[in-house]
Amino acid sequence: MDPTTNPLASYLPLAVVLLLAGVLALVIVQLASMLGPRRPSSIKSTAFEAGSESSGPARQRFAVKFYVVALLFIVFDVEAVFLYPWAVNFQALGWFGYVEMLVFAATLVVGLIYIWKKGALEWEH
């Protein structure tokens, strides 16, 4: 088949790979369920937490500060993701790229100052 006559012909190899990946995933799951060990016991059914006995219920409430710290980590991690490609292309971007990154970094610094003043970085209140 000529790719000029059928525009979908170039996607055939991708479709074959996706189909093979799906079939392989199903085969692996099926083999694991058929060949895997099946001897349930009360000890195997208990919750295991890093070698320690479980303490407390599974539906325990956590303080909001855990989530705030996680969100702050994500925000500043995303900053690092944007900083690397900018540094690689720094010379090609010129002054416009430099000013863009200054605005981006200034926005993050303002956010950092705000959360610092709000006390989000203090662990104990």
Side-chain angles (χ1 to χ4, degrees):
M1 285 173 45
D2 186 22
T4 57
T5 59
N6 188 357
L8 296 178
S10 60
Y11 290 105
L12 182 64
L14 180 63
V16 170
V17 168
L18 288 175
L19 181 69
L20 280 174
V23 168
L24 182 64
L26 290 174
V27 167
I28 288 173
V29 168
Q30 191 65 29
L31 282 175
S33 67
M34 288 185 339
L35 300 176
R38 277 182 243 115
R39 293 191 193 116
S41 68
S42 61
I43 293 176
K44 291 179 185 177
S45 297
T46 58
F48 180 76
E49 199 170 305
S52 304
E53 289 290 326
S54 296
S55 59
R59 301 281 181 200
Q60 178 178 333
R61 297 186 103 184
F62 286 99
V64 174
K65 60 186 166 190
F66 291 111
Y67 301 108
V68 170
V69 169
L71 286 172
L72 293 175
F73 173 77
I74 290 171
V75 166
F76 290 106
D77 197 38
V78 168
E79 175 198 7
V81 167
F82 283 123
L83 201 58
Y84 181 74
W86 172 79
V88 169
N89 294 321
F90 178 69
Q91 287 182 338
L93 295 173
W95 282 104
F96 179 71
Y98 182 72
V99 172
E100 271 187 329
M101 189 49 69
L102 279 178
V103 170
F104 179 68
T107 305
L108 287 171
V109 167
V110 168
L112 179 63
I113 291 170
Y114 174 76
I115 62 173
W116 199 330
K117 294 287 183 183
K118 284 289 196 180
L121 298 178
E122 294 176 15
W123 197 249
E124 295 182 24
H125 288 289

